[in-house]
Amino acid sequence: MTDNIDFSGRSALVTGAASGIGAACARFLAAQNISRLILVDHDQTGLDALQLNCPVERYNADVSDESFWLAMDEQLASLDHMVVNAGIGGGGELADISLEEWRRVTSVNLDGAFLTLRTGLRAMKKSGGGMRGGSAVVVASITGVKPVAGIGPYGVAKAGVAHMARIAAAENAAHGIRVNAIAPGGVDTAIWESSDNFVQSVAAIGRAETLKAMAATTPRGRFATPDELAGEIGFLLSDLAANTTGTVHISDGGYSF
Ligand code: NAI
């Protein structure tokens, strides 16, 4: 019997790989014998800190920069898997936020995800994704499924990328390429540091208590770890999920019941 979670002989592109869920995905794929990892992040220090036991190419780039992806189109002659993951937080009610803030969040979380997916799909098609079982996972959010007040541009962008994954699945099934989205609930990563409320709460009661309080509305009672998310993303990428495409997989500890 073949080991369907083994990625040897395969290549994968991961964005937002310097931290949190993206770094955990890079570690997961390296542990599953991936033969080529292409990591993209605008945090060079974080990228360099990743110690991975596999061939790695590290790119310091902004995922919303189209010129970077056009250059990658030239370079990437083949690709088997991708995790469209880089993202930023953003708060504020729709009635209050500026167009500038809207564009700051959507340029990374929506435009950046589109540019990543476009380049990845082009490279997968070049390598004839079908025979090699190409697959992509787009990291959306439960806030793109369930409306949550106060994070308008973030939630809209995440709903957009989830639907983008489903459209990409419909467009590429005939090429043997699977595309799924994952919609996490709270995950314990650095993304929360960009929230003023989070930072204030950490200063007042500490990080552990802050996360515990935030998880009070989640039946599981706690945030997920990046490694837990990486396991589910790895499953969706792998041949174990060969029959799964066009789904938005919810991984939220029951938050959206
Ligand atoms: P994180 O902050 O730990 O990691 C995000 C990574 O993306 C960082 O390394 C950052 O440098 C990189 N990044 C941000 N903007 C970039 C840009 N313009 N170009 C290149 N790299 C960029 O956060 P986390 O939680 O690991 O986030 C990963 C994804 O998971 C994001 O798309 C986020 O929206 C999503 N997510 C996170 C949740 C959470 O509770 N942490 C919940 C639901 C979704």
Side-chain angles (χ1 to χ4, degrees):
M1 186 180 150
T2 53
D3 182 353
N4 289 323
I5 201 84
D6 188 85
F7 286 86
S8 52
R10 313 280 184 98
S11 56
L13 165 71
V14 182
T15 63
S19 173
I21 297 168
C25 287
R27 289 194 300 269
F28 178 94
L29 290 165
Q32 303 304 327
N33 306 314
I34 194 99
S35 295
R36 182 186 181 198
L37 260 188
I38 302 150
L39 307 181
V40 180
D41 205 293
H42 62 179
D43 173 5
Q44 182 74 54
T45 309
L47 278 181
D48 289 343
L50 272 177
Q51 296 192 344
L52 300 164
N53 195 18
C54 67
V56 189
E57 294 147 52
R58 300 165 211 251
Y59 290 92
N60 180 352
D62 180 338
V63 292
S64 65
D65 175 3
E66 186 179 23
S67 64
F68 168 73
W69 291 112
L70 292 175
M72 284 296 272
D73 285 346
E74 302 290 317
Q75 276 185 48
L76 267 184
S78 67
L79 186 69
D80 298 301
H81 305 286
M82 71 179 125
V83 185
V84 182
N85 168 73
I88 56 173
E93 296 206 357
L94 291 172
D96 301 329
I97 58 164
S98 64
L99 181 59
E100 188 185 11
E101 171 63 4
W102 174 273
R103 286 187 173 147
R104 185 185 72 83
V105 176
T106 57
S107 73
V108 178
N109 292 3
L110 184 57
D111 300 351
F114 156 67
L115 292 169
T116 307
L117 188 71
R118 186 177 72 176
T119 287
L121 289 171
R122 287 173 175 172
M124 282 183 181
K125 284 183 177 177
K126 279 187 221 163
S127 49
M131 282 169 297
R132 303 187 57 166
S135 63
V137 174
V138 176
V139 181
S141 166
I142 198 61
T143 62
V145 178
K146 174 186 162 88
V148 175
I151 49 166
Y154 184 88
V156 170
K158 291 301 187 180
V161 295
H163 200 59
M164 180 176 75
R166 299 174 72 219
I167 291 171
E171 290 176 349
N172 292 283
H175 299 284
I177 299 168
R178 298 183 298 105
V179 186
N180 292 288
I182 189 164
V187 187
D188 181 3
T189 73
I191 204 168
W192 291 100
E193 315 292 344
S194 65
S195 154
D196 291 342
N197 288 345
F198 183 86
V199 172
Q200 282 161 19
S201 175
V202 169
I205 61 172
R207 199 165 194 281
E209 284 304 312
T210 297
L211 288 170
K212 199 168 148 194
M214 288 168 70
T217 51
T218 297
R220 189 186 184 198
R222 71 169 179 82
F223 274 20
T225 66
D227 288 332
E228 287 171 337
L229 264 296
E232 294 189 39
I233 292 167
F235 163 74
L236 288 170
L237 287 178
S238 79
D239 296 349
L240 287 175
N243 197 39
T244 300
T245 193
T247 66
V248 180
H249 170 74
I250 291 175
S251 171
D252 69 350
Y255 171 75
S256 59
F257 275 359

